Amino acid sequence: MASNETYENRLYDVAEKLQIPDSTLQITRVRLDHLHGEADVDAAQFNQIAPAVLALSCREDGLPITGRDIVEPWTDLLADPEATELDPERLPEQIEAVADRLDIDHPPERPDTLVERYADTLDLSEAVGTAGKRILTDVFREAPRVVAEASSPAETAGASLVLAAEANGVDGVGPNEVADVGAAGGVTIKNRYKAFREVLDEGGLDARRYQADAVEDGASADTGRPDAKSSASDGGVSDVPADACMDAVRGMFPDELPTTATVAEALDAPEERVGDRLQDLADRGELAARRAGETVAWIPGDRDELGADLTIDAVHSEVDALVEALDVDASVRLFARGLVSDAAESVAVEDAAEFAGAALIASSRLNDGDLDPATVAAERDFGTRALYQWLDRLGEIAAVDIPRRGPSDVVESLAEDIEFSETVLEDSRRTLEHYEPAADDAAFAAPELAAGAVFFAATTGGEPIDVDELADSIGFEASHVTDAMNSVFVSLCRGLIRGEIDYEESFWTADLLESDRIAEIGDPQTGRAVAAAKTYVAGREGQHVDEGTLDVLLDEN
């Protein structure tokens, strides 16, 4: 396996391989950033520190991840695996040291260890304890986030043991009994028990691998759980029963996102024909189709909204689809999914595509990447401006400082991409310095405003630039560039009339009287602003006009 250059990349790759949830990965990153800021921690040590921090976070979230699970894939990613000092046997000591650094008094034990202890304390057989560990592993494999949502490893261990006792007909081992011998309360264990029970689905506890006698007889830990899928014949849409589709959707919702793929899997039927039947049900009003980017969620007609968890699932699916289409690094994908998990509660599922795109761009920027919003937008039906708006919103709701380029930065990039003179470049910078958008102006993204300023500077300076070329360079519609240019022109005219811009020091003011080019650009509002500015510079430079009078003159109220 090829080596990764940084411990951050190895962290992402190992987390993805082990299906470690985004929330667990995020707290690991926060802790590593904290340690990185300590003066006496050598950066070279992070190849040993990072696996220990990840293992600590996994323990706290009650994940059935061992030190060997982390160390072996981590070592495989090193340039020289033989030279590493990483050792699964020494990881517990390193976890203790890291916990001490992070002011964590007592790092928790792994949940599988707790299952064994609770089983022994409750006089349950070793085989029942093993069944409990298998249940925890299976739930984690099916739904990692359901495990990570627990408040402690005692909670996940307790819930798993209660389920193992139930699977083996052992009475008197419920949440309260396990709580008496563990560190989690009966209510929290009961809640986690219910969540695990739903993941295992109907009949899941009947699996042979969970039976104590099978464990004692040496039945393989890899023996699968019973498959609850029903079958459907392979034919046209009429061969996929409407009732079966409705039952599948209602069985999933609201705990799981009913998509064409998940319904087809539940029915063991061809996805295309299931999709046709679902669309038929939607046309009849029995289902509502809620599009989340490239994914359609099918919701029972009597239900209006998806819950936060299902919205997160929908946006995660769209993140994954964009990652595949754009060939984005796994580390960017995982970080984007983490941002989604933090912020998706206030997002409508219909906005999944834009939100997922913004999360990917934010993730790329936060990890020193340069994923272009125009490239992302080209993969979907929304415009580039929508991504910039969603980046702003994501920064607010996720409370994260997303690196952004300002209009002046984009002007510099345009100068590299499109040939125009140093004069136009300098005039574009000065234009942006004087620009003040009107209150009712559209919120222009930085590339739109930059292109608008360049278009204005080039046009007024007698060096016309093709607006389509500018638009192509920034990945926006040409109309967006002309709208931004008009906003710039009106703003500068108003600033001149108010006396905030000096006539003698402005590169464009002389053209107001001496050139016909000005009259040939802009919309009617721009024309009125130019006419007012011409009147002003024709002999009334000393008579400035206030904002209210300007609104009346330009008929903008």
Side-chain angles (χ1 to χ4, degrees):
M1 182 180 293
S3 67
N4 280 9
E5 294 182 0
T6 66
Y7 77 85
E8 292 100 330
N9 286 342
R10 285 187 279 278
L11 177 67
Y12 286 122
D13 285 348
V14 170
E16 183 171 32
K17 178 180 177 63
L18 299 178
Q19 290 186 282
I20 292 173
D22 300 325
S23 56
T24 309
L25 182 60
Q26 289 285 72
I27 189 61
T28 302
R29 279 179 52 92
V30 170
R31 286 169 169 170
L32 287 169
D33 288 344
H34 172 78
L35 293 172
H36 219 288
E38 295 196 2
D40 59 340
V41 178
D42 187 349
Q45 295 177 298
F46 274 82
N47 262 324
Q48 281 72 44
I49 293 174
V53 175
L54 180 59
L56 173 62
S57 300
C58 288
R59 284 193 186 187
E60 288 186 321
D61 284 350
L63 310 186
I65 301 290
T66 68
R68 190 171 300 278
D69 291 334
I70 293 172
V71 169
E72 288 185 352
W74 190 283
T75 302
D76 288 342
L77 292 168
L78 296 173
D80 186 3
E82 300 298 326
T84 182
E85 297 179 5
L86 283 174
D87 182 355
E89 302 302 324
R90 293 186 55 222
L91 198 63
E93 300 172 18
Q94 293 170 319
I95 292 172
E96 292 279 352
V98 163
D100 185 58
R101 276 277 188 178
L102 296 169
D103 295 326
I104 298 172
D105 292 335
H106 302 290
E109 294 185 77
R110 293 203 323 260
D112 54 328
T113 301
L114 294 176
V115 170
E116 293 175 356
R117 180 183 303 164
Y118 298 164
D120 182 60
T121 305
L122 292 166
D123 292 327
L124 297 173
S125 69
E126 183 179 340
V128 171
T130 299
K133 291 189 288 184
R134 290 182 177 181
I135 287 171
L136 177 57
T137 299
D138 287 349
V139 172
F140 179 72
R141 183 185 298 120
E142 293 289 331
R145 196 168 71 229
V146 171
V147 179
E149 286 171 350
S151 59
S152 70
E155 186 179 326
T156 62
S160 302
L161 190 59
V162 172
L163 285 165
E166 181 180 328
N168 286 279
V170 179
D171 295 328
V173 182
N176 290 331
E177 286 73 21
V178 176
D180 288 341
V181 301
V187 173
T188 58
I189 292 176
K190 183 178 181 180
N191 290 338
R192 196 55 37 200
Y193 158 84
K194 289 179 178 179
F196 284 11
R197 194 74 171 80
E198 290 176 2
V199 172
L200 293 174
D201 63 48
E202 191 66 31
L205 283 182
D206 296 333
R208 178 69 175 152
R209 62 192 259 95
Y210 302 151
Q211 305 305 307
D213 60 340
V215 173
E216 291 168 348
D217 291 342
S220 170
D222 294 326
T223 304
R225 297 191 292 112
D227 195 339
K229 296 176 185 175
S230 60
S231 62
S233 59
D234 186 10
V237 66
S238 60
D239 293 326
V240 181
D243 289 346
C245 280
M246 286 300 300
D247 288 345
V249 169
R250 291 188 182 279
M252 294 177 190
F253 191 85
D255 300 314
E256 182 183 355
L257 189 69
T259 66
T260 304
T262 57
V263 174
E265 182 181 6
L267 298 178
D268 196 17
E271 190 170 324
E272 181 178 354
R273 293 184 174 87
V274 170
D276 290 341
R277 173 59 76 191
L278 290 168
Q279 185 59 58
D280 176 62
L281 289 166
D283 292 341
R284 288 154 47 184
E286 296 184 46
L287 291 176
R290 305 287 293 278
R291 180 166 291 280
E294 295 297 290
T295 300
V296 178
W298 305 96
I299 303 175
D302 57 349
R303 304 293 292 269
D304 293 329
E305 297 294 335
L306 295 178
D309 285 346
L310 294 191
T311 299
I312 289 172
D313 289 345
V315 183
H316 279 174
S317 295
E318 182 62 10
V319 167
D320 292 345
L322 284 170
V323 164
E324 183 175 354
L326 297 168
D327 195 24
V328 174
D329 289 344
S331 59
V332 173
R333 168 185 171 269
L334 281 170
F335 196 87
R337 287 169 65 95
L339 289 173
V340 167
S341 298
D342 290 342
E345 286 188 5
S346 58
V347 176
V349 70
E350 290 86 355
D351 296 323
E354 293 92 329
F355 186 46
L360 270 180
I361 295 164
S363 173
S364 174
R365 292 182 179 181
L366 288 165
N367 288 279
D368 299 321
D370 58 353
L371 185 59
D372 183 14
T375 302
V376 177
E379 292 293 329
R380 295 295 182 262
D381 294 331
F382 50 78
T384 309
R385 180 188 287 177
L387 283 177
Y388 281 88
Q389 293 168 341
W390 272 98
L391 278 170
D392 291 338
R393 183 173 175 187
L394 177 61
E396 294 172 1
I397 59 182
V400 61
D401 188 13
I402 301 168
R404 289 173 172 80
R405 291 199 306 164
S408 296
D409 300 319
V410 181
V411 165
E412 303 295 331
S413 298
L414 284 170
E416 296 175 2
D417 194 33
I418 300 173
E419 291 187 7
F420 52 77
S421 68
E422 282 291 328
T423 300
V424 170
L425 176 60
E426 181 58 33
D427 289 346
S428 300
R429 294 173 181 145
R430 292 166 61 193
T431 295
L432 290 171
E433 291 173 1
H434 288 141
Y435 174 67
E436 290 184 14
D440 57 350
D441 262 1
F444 294 107
E448 295 172 292
L449 198 53
V454 171
F455 191 30
F456 170 79
T459 303
T460 55
E463 298 181 32
I465 290 179
D466 185 0
V467 67
D468 290 323
E469 187 178 8
L470 279 170
D472 288 343
S473 180
I474 62 172
F476 283 74
E477 297 289 334
S479 61
H480 291 194
V481 177
T482 55
D483 287 346
M485 188 277 295
N486 288 331
S487 178
V488 165
F489 207 167
V490 170
S491 171
L492 267 60
C493 286
R494 294 175 70 100
L496 177 68
I497 297 170
R498 289 195 304 265
E500 297 169 359
I501 295 176
D502 191 316
Y503 173 85
E504 298 294 338
E505 296 180 3
S506 297
F507 70 91
W508 55 275
T509 48
D511 278 339
L512 283 172
L513 292 177
E514 299 171 3
S515 174
D516 292 330
R517 290 191 302 272
I518 300 298
E520 298 171 359
I521 64 174
D523 57 12
Q525 181 187 6
T526 306
R528 289 193 295 271
V530 170
K534 280 187 174 184
T535 301
Y536 171 77
V537 300
R540 304 175 62 186
E541 295 94 324
Q543 301 180 32
H544 304 313
V545 180
D546 61 58
E547 191 72 14
T549 304
L550 260 179
D551 287 341
V552 174
L553 288 173
L554 301 180
D555 192 25
E556 294 180 7
N557 276 339

